[in-house]
Amino acid sequence: MSAHDAISKPKDRYHHGDLRSALLRATEQLVADQGTGAVSLREVARIAGVSHGAPAHHFTNKTGLMLAFAQDGWDRMIAAIGDGMAQEQPANGPELLETVGKAYVDFAVENPGQFEVMFRRDLYDPKEPTYVGAGESAWVFLSVSIQRCIDEGFAEAEDAESFTVIAWSMVHGLAALWNSGRIKSRFDRLEIARLNREANKRLVDLMFDRSSRR
């Protein structure tokens, strides 16, 4: 390798498609370390090791960057839920809901900064079509799980909306409380992996009688 190659500008090390990903991962690092207030295109470029003008190829301003970061979060959550389903192979609606819930919490606690931004609608336009589409794609997992429970006779059709809200509230609340540190500050022996499994199992057991169907 020549001396010129060794000291080439960082931007030269990125293919066009990789730059966007590198900037999003730099945003993730910055949010995790310093919070959303510290995010700027220039600082993200510095962390990614590219020229300060490089982010302009993908994001016109901080709002555009945060919108893309939120969308990326939904995409990653969808992938995480899909991986959970492939690994656990749920046999029925309640098992599917339990699997989806665990994957939701797992993603949230493993990616707390991005999870927060996904619901920080003050940072971008929540009506932007691509953001709405990404969120709706994730929502499908929950709605399909509840509908499968109904189709298989574990629940009544009129319970669909309330059961959906109950299930979402539990997993989102658990994730938010854990990420805030409030659970750990009061119950320092609790481990999130075990708590996540138990909470989702107990919720599903309370909502559905899995021993028999109508």
Side-chain angles (χ1 to χ4, degrees), residues 194-209:
R194 178 180 176 183
L195 180 59
N196 187 20
R197 290 194 303 271
E198 290 184 352
N200 276 282
K201 181 180 185 304
R202 289 179 183 276
L203 175 69
V204 172
D205 286 344
L206 287 170
M207 292 173 66
F208 310 107
D209 178 7

Side-chain angles (χ1 to χ4, degrees), residues 11 39 45 54 63 79 85 101 112-113 148 161-162 180 193:
K11 65 179 181 180
V39 174
T63 299
M85 291 169 58
R148 182 171 170 183
E161 291 186 354
S162 61
S180 74

